């Protein structure tokens, strides 16, 4: 079927014609439809019962071309199928952290899913300095379950190999291969540098053999290591939160890849939030200053420091929580099956030794991918609001250089960084350093 | 179509009914058909024109079950398709080292291929102490071309991902996952130990965390790293040689896996030939002794030593030749494309630094896989004739222990072994050591 964007009336009629959706929306006489997509890739709508607006769904339509450009930039017609399949798979593993898919229509490149009306995008929440007390626990649970249950540690080998094949997502992987692992290290037309960003930093990046070797290794791993079904784009803009709940959305980049890629994405975005705190704290301070109250001001200062600590603490808690849960799922599974991935362990020390090495390698890979993801956000095309919202050009450049230096060290030193605590120390040291 | 083994008359009639094969066999009035398969997996026939016997082909039929057991042990009906596809792919890359496929009939699970009548199985040639002067050059060419051109270093990413999917070979991979990476490290019913093989060596193997961790890492890599289209079973029994030519046969285990697996298989089998030389040399000496001539005897001794050296030299030359050719193909390709896998290299030092790291990692992986392959041949189900043909039980056990110790060190020390010369030194040291 050829793609056609629906008018609001057409979408309304369509939704009412799907019995399950019609029931879910409380058999609406009329629907309020609002287009809310960002306009790059997809069409996204909220559809609510006009009379009972709390009965509401999200409709996502992924045309087989780049919406921003049009039909002259075709994308696979299977894009939406991939996302639906990933949402259903992750939803089965982690129903509390994945929006439900109510209805999918491959012919129309469309799906109807759970509306998260009391949640906001995590990146925005972090920029506003909001503490989410359950975030780390939720994200580590999500990561442990999705990464473990898609892998050879759990699945039968033939089932896993079929899953690899079913999840091939060449076009969206190509975007990552180019925009994360290649273009940022070239004088590529798609790169964007902020006004005050020192040119010497970019040159250094391009010409450092140690860094380029490390990034090359991460690119090779991304393209070859079919370890588990990944989200594939797990930055803080793909996470919706409130004080009680955490949902991971938009897995359209899902494919079988290296586990560290999802973990690294989360760590990278927390570190970017951390380094950009200088600006967002200043914003808070300014607001506070308006009250002209020294005591309030001091309190705000303390809060800012506490928020920075909280951000780094999230990185620690997410890695530790993830690693513990992942290892626990693995142990439980092997104890239930009465066998280990490595085979029987008569000595009793080998299975745990392998698990420890596995987690250590996964940690190193996560740091490497985190480094790549941070770099692409600084010198590549797609930025993050944490940084781009910094209006002071000099301050923004400082934040960017710090993020870049941190990323470089994560990549180059990933095999010698012993623990997440060392990552935190590294981030603090870099934050305390003045780069010219 | 249900599988039916053909009678000689039926096969004869079938071959004459295929125009290309009929022409190739010089339009035979009558065909001589001989079944020559080893009886485990497949049916293999020689079919020759009775009047002009030099006009001859090989027919291979891969029933959708294990021939040894029968229809109660089903195997995928796509087994033969996989082998045909791999032969054609490798043949396109390396026509001088891969037998031609003249005809394939998926309905009949059958293919007709080039007969190599003046060639013998390399393993037999090595046991007989034959020098093949072109072997190392040929095998390094075969390895470099097949491993490079199937990978992301050469193929467009989407083409490569489709190739991964098309080459999925779960059932035969499972055999390797079990028989190479798992059962040898368990008290598994399929393991076979020679009469004098010391039980303590097996226990040591099972209970060494360092070894089991290393083997676990190789298993994980085998199951996850879809780097290139591998032969998948490249031991010296899959290689046919004469003084001028080298052919690689039987790629039914072909799938997308880690490059080091094929390289390691070749190295492992050369090392097994080396360690088992004690016996095969003795055989030669006995024959020579019969002549009761001290001078001839001394000459034979010198020849034996020279042959051992020649075997190790093959390992050196194959690795070095492979590594040089692989890097050369890679450089040529990048220079033609005017871009590198890692992206532009404005500094000029990064692309070569990445290549060096890549080759170093591939070397380490090859040693790890070589270690696994040696161990499975000593304690696992499937043996090699180099070792099983040793009639002296004590001598066989010594050879086996040496092979095992060498394998263990290759696995555990693979990241610190700097070069193939170090592997040769290691093998010589172990050969000179007396294990109890």
């Amino acid at each position: 079927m050829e793609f056609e964007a629906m008018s609001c009336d057409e979408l309304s009629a369509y939704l009412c014609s799907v019995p399950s959706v019609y029931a879910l929306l409380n058999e609406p006489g009329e629907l309020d439809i609002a287009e809310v997509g960002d306009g790059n890739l997809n069409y996204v709508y909220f559809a609510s019962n006009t009379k009972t607006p709390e009965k509401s769904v999200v409709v996502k339509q992924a045309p087989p071309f780049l919406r921003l450009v049009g039909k002259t930039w075709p994308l696979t017609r299977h894009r939406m199928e991939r996302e639906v399949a990933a949402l259903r798979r992750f939803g089965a593993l982690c129903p509390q952290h994945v929006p439900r898919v109510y209805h999918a229509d491959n012919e129309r490149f469309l799906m109807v899913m759970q509306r998260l009306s009391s949640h906001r995008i995590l990146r925005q929440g972090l920029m506003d300095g909001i503490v989410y007390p359950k975030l780390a626990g939720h994200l580590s649970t999500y990561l442990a379950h999705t990464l473990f249950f898609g892998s050879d540690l759990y699945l039968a080998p033939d089932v896993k190999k079929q899953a690899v094949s079913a999840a091939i997502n060449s076009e969206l992987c190509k975007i990552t291969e180019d925009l994360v692992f290649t273009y940022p290290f070239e004088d590529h037309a798609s790169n964007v540098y902020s006004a005050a960003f020192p040119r010497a930093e970019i040159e250094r990046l391009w010409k450092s053999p140690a860094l380029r070797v490390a990034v090359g290794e991460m690119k090779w791993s991304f393209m070859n290591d079919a370890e588990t079904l990944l989200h594939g784009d797990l930055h803080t803009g793909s996470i919706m939160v409130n004080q009680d709940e955490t949902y991971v959305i938009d897995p359209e980049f899902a494919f079988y890849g290296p586990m560290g890629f999802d973990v690294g994405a989360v760590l990278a975005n927390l570190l970017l939030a951390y380094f950009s705190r200088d600006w967002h704290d200043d914003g808070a301070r300014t607001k506070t200053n308006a009250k002209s109250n020294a005591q309030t001001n001091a309190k705000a200062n303390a809060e800012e420091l506490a928020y920075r600590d909280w951000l780094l603490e999230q990185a620690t808690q997410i890695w530790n929580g993830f690693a513990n849960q992942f290892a626990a799922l693995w142990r439980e599974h092997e104890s239930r099956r009465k066998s280990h991935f490595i085979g029987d362990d008569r000595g009793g020390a080998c299975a745990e030794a392998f698990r420890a090495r596995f987690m250590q390698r996964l940690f190193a890979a996560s740091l490497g991918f985190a480094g790549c993801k941070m770099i692409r956000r600084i010198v590549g095309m797609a930025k993050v609001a944490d940084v781009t919202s910094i209006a002071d050009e000099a301050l923004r450049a400082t934040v960017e250089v710090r993020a870049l230096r941190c990323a470089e060290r994560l990549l180059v030193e990933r095999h010698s960084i012993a623990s997440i605590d060392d990552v935190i120390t590294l981030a603090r040291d870099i934050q305390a350093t003045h780069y010219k």
Side-chain angles (χ1 to χ4, degrees), chain A:
Chain A
M1 193 169 165
E2 262 290 273
F3 173 83
E4 288 195 51
M6 287 179 171
S7 70
C8 290
D9 284 352
E10 285 167 334
L11 184 57
S12 223
Y14 175 80
L15 294 174
C16 291
S17 77
V18 179
S20 62
V21 176
Y22 183 65
L24 212 70
L25 287 167
N26 203 20
E27 306 187 350
E30 210 177 324
L31 283 175
D32 286 327
I33 307 268
E35 223 271 75
V36 296
D38 65 3
N40 284 329
L41 271 169
N42 304 312
Y43 296 82
V44 183
Y45 308 87
F46 291 155
S48 323
N49 188 325
T50 309
K51 290 215 176 117
T52 51
E54 73 282 5
K55 297 289 180 183
S56 182
V57 295
V58 171
V59 181
K60 188 166 177 180
Q61 208 178 8
F65 50 79
L66 195 68
R67 181 182 172 188
L68 191 67
V69 175
K71 295 190 183 181
T72 55
W73 187 313
L75 291 171
T76 169
R77 43 186 305 129
H78 302 297
R79 196 152 58 95
M80 181 56 82
E81 292 169 44
R82 289 279 177 285
E83 181 167 357
V84 168
L87 278 171
R88 286 184 167 149
R89 172 75 185 152
F90 295 145
L93 296 172
C94 253
Q96 73 278 31
H97 301 309
V98 179
R100 255 164 298 163
V101 177
Y102 298 130
H103 171 72
D105 184 335
N106 291 334
E107 289 293 302
R108 288 186 174 78
F109 315 99
L110 168 158
M111 75 170 139
V112 181
M113 57 196 291
Q114 181 182 1
R115 173 143 179 214
L116 303 167
S117 22
S118 69
H119 307 72
R120 65 191 299 222
I121 292 290
L122 174 59
R123 188 184 306 286
Q124 295 298 330
L126 299 184
M127 285 164 65
D128 287 349
I130 315 288
V131 165
Y132 296 101
K134 299 185 178 171
L135 178 70
H138 289 167
L139 281 182
S140 38
T141 298
Y142 170 87
L143 286 168
H145 284 74
T146 58
L147 302 187
F148 177 77
F149 287 106
S151 78
D152 282 311
L153 300 177
Y154 176 75
L155 294 176
D158 56 334
V159 174
K160 192 267 193 158
K161 288 173 182 77
Q162 287 308 319
V164 171
S165 181
I168 285 180
N169 200 353
S170 303
E171 279 178 351
L172 294 203
C173 281
K174 183 72 163 65
I175 294 175
T176 305
E177 288 153 19
D178 290 342
L179 292 186
V180 176
F181 296 109
T182 313
Y183 296 165
F185 306 94
E186 300 183 324
D187 188 12
H188 197 272
S190 70
N191 292 343
V192 177
Y193 312 112
S194 74
F197 186 75
R199 181 82 190 175
E201 285 290 318
I202 308 169
E203 289 281 337
R204 208 175 47 76
L205 199 74
W206 290 342
K207 296 183 180 171
S208 158
L211 177 69
R212 298 293 301 276
V213 165
V215 174
E217 290 184 298
M218 302 325 295
K219 179 177 178 179
W220 183 256
S221 170
F222 179 84
M223 296 177 82
N224 286 281
D225 300 350
E227 294 182 341
T228 200
L229 185 65
L230 296 179
H231 179 282
D233 194 28
L234 192 48
H235 55 80
T236 44
S238 296
I239 299 167
M240 294 191 72
V241 280
N242 63 24
Q243 291 295 304
D244 295 314
E245 295 180 319
T246 307
Y247 282 88
V248 176
I249 63 169
D250 287 351
E252 61 192 330
F253 282 78
F255 77 111
Y256 257 78
M259 295 181 179
F261 192 72
D262 274 1
V263 181
V266 173
L267 298 180
N269 280 271
L270 287 170
L271 288 168
L272 289 170
Y274 170 77
F275 288 118
S276 62
R277 212 58 230 159
D278 276 351
W279 172 257
H280 301 289
D281 283 346
D282 275 354
R285 194 152 45 232
T286 310
K287 281 180 231 148
T288 312
N289 280 345
K291 296 183 190 168
S292 298
N293 179 324
Q295 206 180 343
T296 317
N297 206 355
K299 190 175 159 236
N301 254 319
E303 276 169 12
E304 288 147 24
L305 288 175
Y307 197 69
R308 286 176 196 233
D309 286 342
W310 182 83
L311 282 171
L312 293 184
E313 218 177 275
Q314 299 320 292
T316 310
Q317 288 182 12
I318 287 169
W319 170 261
N320 288 337
F322 159 71
N324 289 337
Q325 285 187 70
F326 187 94
L329 290 172
W330 187 356
R331 272 187 211 101
E332 276 165 36
H333 175 66
E334 293 196 334
S335 126
R336 211 175 307 119
R337 274 183 62 216
K338 295 189 182 26
S339 76
H340 302 284
F341 177 79
I342 62 163
D344 291 344
D345 179 17
R346 294 159 60 91
C350 298
E352 280 305 320
F354 179 67
R355 203 164 356 258
R357 173 78 60 89
F358 188 96
M359 297 312 294
Q360 180 193 25
R361 285 171 49 135
L362 176 48
F363 181 63
S366 302
L367 300 187
F369 287 121
C372 295
K373 295 228 153 202
M374 290 169 75
I375 292 173
R376 71 79 64 105
R377 296 300 191 183
I378 304 304
V379 301
M381 182 174 75
K383 306 291 188 195
V384 289
D386 320 50
V387 177
T388 55
S389 62
I390 302 176
D392 179 327
E393 286 177 2
L395 179 57
R396 174 171 169 181
T398 302
V399 167
E400 290 177 325
V401 171
R402 285 191 180 124
L404 218 56
R405 295 288 177 128
C406 181
E408 187 174 350
R409 291 193 52 191
L410 291 180
L411 273 155
V412 173
E413 299 170 22
R414 69 192 189 280
H415 292 298
S416 55
I417 295 175
S419 72
I420 190 72
D421 293 340
D422 291 355
V423 175
I424 303 313
T425 305
L426 171 64
R428 285 195 208 280
D429 288 351
I430 287 171
Q431 175 64 26
T433 306
H434 290 277
Y435 296 96
K436 296 216 247 192

